[in-house]
Amino acid sequence: TARELKENGRVMAKKFDSVTVLFADFKGFTQYAERMSPEELVKTVDHYFSAFDEIVAKHGLEKIKTVGDAYMCAGGLPFPTEDHALKMVQAALDMVAFVEREKQLTADSRPRFDVRIGINTGPVVAGVVGTRKFAYDIWGDTVNVASRLETASDPGRINISEETYTLIKDQMECEFRGEMEVKNRGELRMYFVVKERLMRVTA
């Protein structure tokens, strides 16, 4: 992408038929932020998002952007892969585990956060926008639904769509939530990820 931008001054938008998108945010973050100093707020956000960056990189995924306390990443681009849904759910489990560990380690005077995660799989369009501070971004209904799934999730839970569930159901134990109303989309079937069926082998 960087090479194309340097050579042509722009990047052609590209459609990907199957990408898994994750949104994460922290319950009650706005209320905590109002009581924190700017320095403490930035330090806290950086601490969590730096850990998320490491998790995303470990699983071969792509960080897209952060907005406030919202973190967005994707799998299956810029180079298509077959196992992006599984890698994303594994990364989400690692994110939840990290936040839970932080709750146990954090001093009483520091805020303890709960993370909410939503994941969806489907087609997206990716490209670079703007003329300054170029940003690689993705668009499409898949992205919108992933954001809605995060909003509909519960603290400490990973809420996934039917599309993602279909791709990871053999490797992950999931809990069917039923059909839930989603803004501008009607009712969608949703699942909470419970745990990985087989433990991962780590080096």
Side-chain angles (χ1 to χ4, degrees):
T1 300
R3 183 169 60 249
E4 185 178 351
L5 190 60
K6 289 179 180 178
E7 292 175 354
N8 304 323
R10 61 191 297 269
V11 176
M12 292 290 294
K14 183 177 180 180
K15 181 178 180 181
F16 293 85
D17 293 327
S18 183
V19 166
T20 299
V21 181
L22 175 149
F23 277 89
D25 81 347
F26 299 104
K27 178 189 175 185
F29 181 85
T30 301
Q31 289 74 24
Y32 279 118
E34 292 172 350
R35 302 194 297 267
M36 299 168 70
S37 69
E39 294 81 8
E40 186 180 13
L41 177 62
V42 172
K43 183 178 179 180
T44 300
V45 173
D46 180 68
H47 176 67
Y48 282 95
F49 284 174
S50 293
F52 286 6
D53 285 349
E54 291 183 8
I55 291 169
V56 165
K58 181 181 76 172
H59 290 280
L61 305 169
E62 189 78 14
K63 176 183 178 180
I64 302 299
K65 60 184 175 183
T66 62
V67 180
D69 68 316
Y71 187 98
M72 177 184 177
C73 60
L77 55 73
F79 306 106
T81 59
E82 295 293 331
D83 57 351
H84 51 80
L86 177 61
K87 286 183 175 179
M88 186 63 77
V89 174
Q90 289 174 334
L93 287 169
D94 287 350
M95 290 177 180
V96 170
F98 172 79
V99 174
E100 287 300 313
R101 287 195 301 271
E102 287 299 300
K103 287 168 64 177
Q104 304 301 320
L105 296 173
T106 301
D108 292 339
S109 60
R110 298 290 298 276
R112 291 178 171 84
F113 294 114
D114 283 305
V115 67
R116 296 182 304 194
I117 295 178
I119 299 175
N120 184 37
T121 303
V124 304
V125 173
V128 175
V129 294
T131 57
R132 298 180 184 274
K133 293 186 178 180
F134 300 105
Y136 184 78
D137 208 347
I138 57 177
W139 302 271
D141 193 52
T142 298
V143 178
N144 298 333
V145 170
S147 178
R148 301 287 185 233
L149 287 163
E150 178 269 307
T151 302
S153 189
D154 289 342
R157 306 301 300 269
I158 303 165
N159 191 33
I160 66 174
S161 66
E162 177 85 7
E163 289 76 12
T164 302
Y165 170 75
T166 300
L167 296 173
I168 57 93
K169 61 184 179 181
D170 292 336
Q171 292 84 20
M172 296 286 171
E173 181 181 330
C174 299
E175 170 191 329
F176 180 50
R177 302 183 66 191
E179 295 187 353
M180 301 185 67
E181 187 72 22
V182 173
K183 184 179 178 181
N184 299 328
R185 282 298 306 268
E187 292 189 341
L188 293 179
R189 293 166 65 88
M190 299 184 189
Y191 300 78
F192 277 142
V193 177
V194 177
K195 63 181 179 180
E196 195 163 4
R197 295 190 187 278
L198 298 175
M199 295 299 293
R200 275 171 271 166
V201 177
T202 56

